[in-house]
Amino acid sequence: MAYTVPPLTDFSPEALAAAAAELQAALMQESAAVTAAELEAFRNRWMARKNGILTQVNELWLKGSPKEAKREAGQRVNELNKLVTAHVEATEQRMQSASAAGQLYGDHLDVTLPGTRQPLGAEHPVMRTMHEIASVFRNLGYSIAEGPEVETDFYNFEALNFPPNHPARDTQDTLFIAGQEGKALRDRLLLRTHTSPVQIRSMMQQKPPIRVLCPGKVHRNDAADATHSPVFHQVEGLAVDENITFCDLKGTLDHAMKMLFGSSVKTRFYPSFFPFTEPSADMQISCIFCNGKGQRDGGPCRNCKSSGWIELLGCGMVDPNVYNFVDYDATTVSGFAFGMGVERIAIMKYGVDDIQLFYNGDVRFLEQFA
Ligand code: PHE
């Protein structure tokens, strides 16, 4: 028998509580059994202004109550109002989400189907390589420093001993921020071409001894091809102290390369030029594809053009001129610096044949590093 609201003769608190409990039990029972098609009728039965159960409760239990029971009955009816409204709404919501699930899964939810896969993110190979390099140098006692990507001419060039109009500037063309003609050359902004400005910033902040590693994004006017990108990443290293020699530079880099590429890798240093180091060198490592033999699979090794060596980074002893820009005493300190392209190292470590793969965002490529 469906529930109907009984008129009360006894308005004592006990009688009111019993009547309310009966109503509540009916509500629970009906809401548990209601189907989607009956939902509207269910709401009307309980909440319709005209003759809904709540309206009847109001009429019979509140308006029909004697004066001395009004207070108690009012509280009860109020409570029931809240309870019924909340419960009808919750029932509607439950049916709605069940019907959304029904649309997804059909009438039946097949719990044996595989779940929706939530792919896990993974570190980008360039970032992973950068972190790996950083951890090698952290273990050697280097701290990490970062600097701005939009840099002034002073930090990017002048303090690194690239005087205005020096031809070495041509090797590092970049984007210059427009409309700065009113400023002195050294204050003009550009996108940094290397991480070396962070050397300068670090030395200005800290007296020797100093050992810092500066990872970051850099920009050059280079057309994109398989080995070049106008935006790429570098890691710069700097060590300044008393009595630092080229031997320290060689030992440090040789150790770092063995940590990155395996203990059988060899290094060698070739004379080179950078305005801020003197002497300067390019460091090469023995080709990790042919083990330095120059030959692979019975033919010439393409990766090292049969030479057995691959050029990997630039380095050198900090030019004493640089110390003058940062207020270090060039007569008592010495140091070395090095800078490497992160993509270049990632290409070698992972055998990637096109630098553009790092930037295209093709998930099939990136997934291989997950
Ligand atoms: N900054 C140089 C470049 O980008 C690399 C370098 C760094 C060379 C430190 C020597 C010392 O080409």
Side-chain angles (χ1 to χ4, degrees):
M1 257 277 284
Y3 172 80
T4 48
V5 183
L8 299 180
T9 44
D10 178 0
F11 285 90
S12 70
E14 295 75 27
L16 276 167
E22 206 184 316
L23 179 146
Q24 201 172 333
L27 174 67
M28 297 302 157
Q29 210 177 21
E30 285 183 30
S31 72
V34 77
T35 67
E38 295 161 351
L39 206 55
E40 198 180 329
F42 171 72
R43 171 181 264 273
N44 286 337
R45 172 166 153 74
W46 286 89
M47 292 177 60
R49 289 254 163 87
K50 219 172 145 197
N51 227 23
I53 289 181
L54 282 181
T55 309
Q56 292 178 41
V57 163
N58 205 41
E59 290 293 325
L60 297 174
W61 298 358
L62 181 58
K63 290 201 183 141
S65 61
K67 229 197 202 148
E68 61 288 358
K70 281 259 185 283
R71 208 177 123 82
E72 184 75 26
Q75 268 176 12
R76 246 325 141 194
V77 170
N78 246 341
E79 268 171 33
L80 287 173
N81 254 311
K82 278 195 202 132
L83 181 103
V84 170
T85 310
H87 202 75
V88 167
E89 275 167 11
T91 306
E92 283 170 345
Q93 248 169 34
R94 176 164 55 80
M95 302 294 283
Q96 261 164 21
S97 47
S99 98
Q103 277 165 13
L104 270 181
Y105 301 114
D107 282 347
H108 302 286
L109 174 63
D110 182 352
V111 294
T112 66
L113 283 174
T116 316
R117 196 171 70 99
Q118 298 287 347
L120 270 188
E123 210 172 20
H124 190 278
V126 170
M127 286 302 138
R128 193 205 281 191
T129 307
M130 200 137 121
H131 288 145
E132 221 171 299
I133 300 169
S135 101
V136 169
F137 284 93
R138 253 203 313 265
N139 286 336
L140 291 175
Y142 284 65
S143 46
I144 309 288
E146 285 183 303
E149 248 172 81
V150 181
E151 203 31 295
T152 64
D153 185 281
F154 176 78
Y155 288 109
N156 195 78
F157 290 128
E158 191 181 333
L160 287 159
N161 209 24
F162 291 77
N165 300 316
H166 193 280
R169 287 180 173 230
D170 294 347
T171 62
Q172 300 199 3
D173 189 19
T174 183
L175 286 170
F176 294 81
I177 311 297
Q180 305 184 87
E181 292 74 16
K183 287 189 189 166
L185 178 65
R186 52 159 49 199
D187 296 328
R188 293 189 198 165
L189 296 169
L190 46 85
L191 298 189
R192 70 177 176 193
T193 59
H194 48 180
T195 39
S196 304
V198 191
Q199 278 186 37
I200 303 296
R201 290 180 175 275
S202 302
M203 285 193 279
M204 284 180 154
Q205 268 170 20
Q206 189 186 326
K207 290 284 152 206
I210 185 168
R211 280 161 187 62
V212 280
L213 197 79
C214 322
K217 193 183 279 178
V218 301
H219 304 255
R220 298 244 177 127
N221 182 9
D222 281 335
D225 63 21
T227 53
H228 293 85
S229 163
V231 183
F232 61 105
H233 299 79
Q234 283 190 337
V235 170
E236 184 95 1
L238 172 75
V240 182
D241 204 336
E242 285 171 14
N243 298 321
I244 291 214
T245 69
F246 203 90
C247 290
D248 298 311
L249 168 59
K250 285 180 80 172
T252 303
L253 288 180
D254 189 74
H255 167 80
M257 293 307 123
K258 286 184 163 59
M259 295 304 285
L260 289 172
F261 294 107
S263 54
S264 60
V265 85
K266 296 191 179 67
T267 53
R268 70 177 186 183
F269 295 77
Y270 253 62
S272 183
F273 172 78
F274 300 100
F276 44 95
T277 48
E278 181 61 33
S280 305
D282 282 329
M283 190 204 70
Q284 304 178 340
I285 60 169
S286 52
C287 178
I288 55 168
F289 299 100
C290 64
N291 283 327
K293 293 194 190 73
Q295 299 281 315
R296 191 155 51 115
D297 304 330
C301 175
R302 280 185 304 119
N303 298 82
C304 62
K305 301 201 181 83
S306 305
S307 72
W309 294 92
I310 293 182
E311 201 174 293
L312 206 57
L313 57 80
C315 58
M317 302 306 291
V318 178
D319 191 308
N321 268 349
V322 171
Y323 296 132
N324 297 331
F325 284 101
V326 298
D327 213 17
Y328 274 21
D329 181 356
T331 61
T332 57
V333 296
S334 58
F336 62 78
F338 55 86
M340 56 188 110
V342 180
E343 280 82 346
R344 197 164 162 64
I345 291 182
I347 280 174
M348 307 257 303
K349 277 183 76 81
Y350 301 118
V352 175
D353 56 11
D354 186 344
I355 196 175
Q356 301 305 325
L357 287 165
F358 289 133
Y359 315 117
N360 291 344
D362 187 331
V363 177
R364 291 167 304 174
F365 171 73
L366 297 171
E367 265 173 353
Q368 300 174 68
F369 301 91

